[in-house]
Amino acid sequence: QVQLVESGGGSVQAGGSLRLSCAASRYTYNSYCMGWFREAPGKGREGVAARAFRGRTNYADSVEGRFTISQDSAKNTLYLEMNNLKPEDTAMYYCAARLPPCGSLLPTEYNSWGQGTQVTVSS
């Protein structure tokens, strides 16, 4: 069973930074493709960032240049570093996993989800 546990959300002012973490089991980390998604009130879930093949990464246009997805293999943990946060980044952020191929930002292609962590950005 795939288990994903997010942490690191919070409330910040516009321009601030947060780092989200997603802890997984070693099996999940090594066997599944993982990505970050978010869902704002009244909006559908959207892809934010995903690891792709051979170290490549994919980002939504709205976060390109401000967010960075990274990983720590020793801790089986995926991170999302968020800088220059804007009020429109306010959402519940989810970590998700799927079997390869990797890199998709389509929520419908992921079948395992964490519980989410709330990010609130005030102006």
Side-chain angles (χ1 to χ4, degrees):
Q1 183 177 358
V2 175
Q3 288 190 322
L4 304 168
V5 180
E6 303 99 330
S7 61
S11 297
V12 297
Q13 291 191 327
S17 299
L18 284 172
R19 188 177 77 160
L20 306 183
S21 300
C22 175
S25 68
R26 177 169 294 181
Y27 173 77
T28 298
Y29 185 87
N30 289 333
S31 304
Y32 283 73
C33 304
M34 296 169 66
W36 287 100
F37 297 80
R38 67 186 181 186
E39 187 168 345
K43 296 185 178 181
R45 193 165 295 188
E46 64 173 353
V48 175
R51 295 168 50 200
F53 226 26
R54 296 182 181 179
R56 295 173 61 184
T57 52
N58 293 328
Y59 295 97
D61 290 345
S62 58
V63 306
E64 182 83 54
R66 300 187 298 121
F67 291 12
T68 303
I69 189 171
S70 63
Q71 62 206 52
D72 185 333
S73 300
K75 297 181 178 179
N76 304 320
T77 299
L78 185 74
Y79 300 101
L80 184 68
E81 184 77 34
M82 305 184 295
N83 296 315
N84 190 21
L85 282 161
K86 303 176 180 181
E88 51 264 42
D89 295 317
T90 295
M92 184 71 79
Y93 283 72
Y94 297 91
C95 177
R98 58 164 288 177
L99 290 171
C102 299
S104 174
L105 291 177
L106 294 176
T108 53
E109 295 187 356
Y110 289 74
N111 50 22
S112 297
W113 295 84
Q115 82 287 351
T117 186
Q118 178 68 38
V119 171
T120 303
V121 185
S122 58
S123 58

